[in-house]
Amino acid sequence: TFLLELRTGGNGAPALQGVKRAEPDGYTFGITSSTALILNAIVNAELGIDPLKDFVAVADLWTIHSMIVAREDFPAKDVRDVVAMAKANPGSLRFGVASTGVRLWLTMLEERAGVKFLGIPYKSGNDVTIALLGGHIDISNDNIVGIARQKGKLKALAYGGPTRSPQFPGVPTMREMYQFDMMTGPSGVLAPAGTPAPAVNWVHRELIRALKTPEIMKMLDAGGYFPIGNSPEEYANSIRAE
């Protein structure tokens, strides 16, 4: 039996802090992204998160590429049109920002395209979607799952992967247009530092077993997720390298 405790906001920091402080008895684990785990530590030392010392790596589960999205009635057909609009009216296009990763991508786009957006911070991706649908912002980031949930209301202007998405073959990649990718980073499972190896290994084994079932594989494929399912050692090495 699993009890799922959602701790949203703060670019994933509150959830990581909760895992860090938990008793390392093999009963508390956390799911996080590399954006939350690594960028948090780089840009804000006051959060007290050390990705190499505070946690035990269990497994990378999957990765997914981000997308630039807008309402269906927004006049731009891709990000090149958005850049042209921003150049015509500097600082007027409103871009919803809910994480450090999105702020990084937005800055990269501004530098490479020579434009300036009005970045508006939000506590979560759900808040950004609500603001976008309500017309409070013009563009934001999302993924294939988010667009599917808002079918007919949102459209994709750019895909963040190295090649075009099979689900959106007509949408150009950011690499095609501005020579960078927008990967949200792998989502992995962590345990508090000091968690016994038998508990870590048991959870790892069961996660990998579940990840390979046809039902889960079908669900991931439909959402544009790319399964990883590596070992604790491989996940720890990827955290260290990144």
Side-chain angles (χ1 to χ4, degrees):
T1 300
F2 286 87
L3 175 63
L4 179 62
E5 182 178 341
L6 298 175
R7 295 195 183 185
T8 59
N11 194 36
L16 286 168
Q17 290 166 336
V19 175
K20 173 184 175 179
R21 291 192 293 262
E23 189 71 26
D25 54 9
Y27 286 92
T28 299
F29 292 80
I31 300 177
T32 187
S33 70
S34 61
T35 298
L37 180 64
I38 297 168
L39 279 181
N40 271 340
I42 292 172
V43 303
N44 193 348
E46 293 180 0
L47 293 174
I49 296 171
D50 188 326
L52 299 178
K53 295 180 180 180
D54 295 337
F55 310 102
V56 176
V58 180
D60 261 338
L61 298 180
W62 56 70
T63 188
I64 187 170
H65 300 298
S66 192
M67 307 178 81
I68 301 294
V69 301
R71 290 183 310 280
E72 188 61 45
D73 60 357
F74 191 67
K77 68 178 184 300
D78 61 33
V79 168
R80 285 170 292 212
D81 290 342
V82 173
V83 167
M85 295 167 66
K87 286 183 177 180
N89 299 280
S92 64
L93 276 180
R94 302 161 296 177
F95 197 115
V97 178
S99 74
T100 309
V102 178
R103 169 60 65 185
L104 175 64
W105 300 329
L106 181 59
T107 302
M108 292 174 70
L109 178 58
E110 288 176 331
E111 289 183 351
R112 298 191 181 202
V115 296
K116 190 68 179 176
F117 296 99
L118 179 60
I120 302 178
Y122 289 89
K123 290 183 178 180
S124 71
N126 286 336
D127 292 337
V128 170
T129 300
I130 292 170
L132 184 61
L133 294 173
H136 304 293
I137 55 176
D138 302 301
I139 51 178
S140 69
N141 83 296
D142 211 322
N143 54 45
I144 292 172
V145 177
I147 294 177
R149 288 197 195 106
Q150 304 296 336
K151 190 174 182 179
K153 298 179 182 179
L154 297 180
K155 63 180 179 181
L157 303 179
Y159 181 61
T163 59
R164 294 197 179 195
S165 165
Q167 290 93 338
F168 294 87
V171 177
T173 66
M174 289 296 284
R175 180 179 289 192
E176 288 176 52
M177 295 181 286
Y178 297 103
Q179 293 75 56
F180 70 94
D181 296 336
M182 298 190 307
M183 182 183 288
T184 60
S187 293
V189 175
L190 302 166
T195 299
V200 171
N201 293 336
W202 184 89
V203 171
H204 173 268
R205 184 185 71 241
E206 294 304 307
L207 284 171
I208 302 307
R209 182 182 63 81
L211 199 61
K212 294 179 178 179
T213 60
E215 296 84 359
I216 297 298
M217 294 292 289
K218 182 179 179 180
M219 186 186 304
L220 293 175
D221 184 62
Y225 293 88
F226 302 89
I228 300 175
N230 55 10
S231 69
E233 293 77 16
E234 289 170 331
Y235 184 24
N237 287 338
S238 71
I239 293 171
R240 188 174 296 106
E242 192 165 349

